[in-house]
Amino acid sequence: AENAVALRDSDFVFFEELFARAPAGTLMLVLETTHRQFPALARAAWRGGGDAVAAACPRVRSNRGYSLCLLKRSAAPAGVEGGEADAFGPESEELSELFSRFEEDDRRQRRKALDEESVG
């Protein structure tokens, strides 16, 4: 829990710097027990790597949830609209909707933790 708090408090700057320095072709696969921090992690990767970073959240049976894949391409695809190459960039409507759901899950979990803390 301390690591999650430290990452959140720093706005995931570690991952921003990681993607700023990562060479093209770098793939980060996040196999986390929860998906709630994926939006913040992807935003940090986009801040560091710009539009060259593609993101996807495949469903994974082994953890009964989602994983996060971040790929730093050699460059953002030029002039491609609606194609597979740009389907999961920062402007992706599909990813935006999924991340909105993940962020709501995070808010709900934080409220629950605060409620449990105040009772206990």
Side-chain angles (χ1 to χ4, degrees):
E2 296 85 16
N3 289 339
V5 170
L7 282 170
R8 191 179 311 126
D9 288 349
S10 73
D11 199 24
F12 292 80
V13 70
F14 170 80
F15 292 100
E16 180 179 346
E17 292 173 0
L18 181 71
F19 270 86
R21 291 176 173 83
T26 297
L27 173 68
M28 177 186 288
L29 176 60
V30 182
L31 302 171
E32 182 55 67
T33 58
T34 181
H35 56 276
R36 295 187 307 264
Q37 301 304 316
F38 289 173
L41 205 157
R43 281 192 296 274
W46 287 321
R47 284 192 311 269
D51 290 339
V53 176
C57 289
R59 298 255 322 145
V60 180
R61 284 189 201 179
S62 63
N63 69 358
R64 297 184 183 179
Y66 290 91
S67 290
L68 176 65
C69 296
L70 296 166
L71 173 65
K72 186 170 183 183
R73 301 170 287 201
S74 57
V80 179
E81 292 187 23
E84 185 174 285
D86 69 346
F88 298 103
E91 304 301 319
S92 164
E93 189 173 315
E94 179 182 342
L95 200 56
S96 178
E97 289 173 10
L98 189 58
F99 281 179
S100 291
R101 192 181 113 212
F102 292 173
E103 289 168 329
E104 179 56 34
D105 290 347
D106 186 49
R107 286 188 291 275
R108 194 175 315 117
Q109 180 64 29
R110 287 188 197 195
R111 282 191 301 270
K112 180 180 174 186
L114 288 173
D115 290 346
E116 289 173 357
E117 198 174 281
S118 66
V119 171

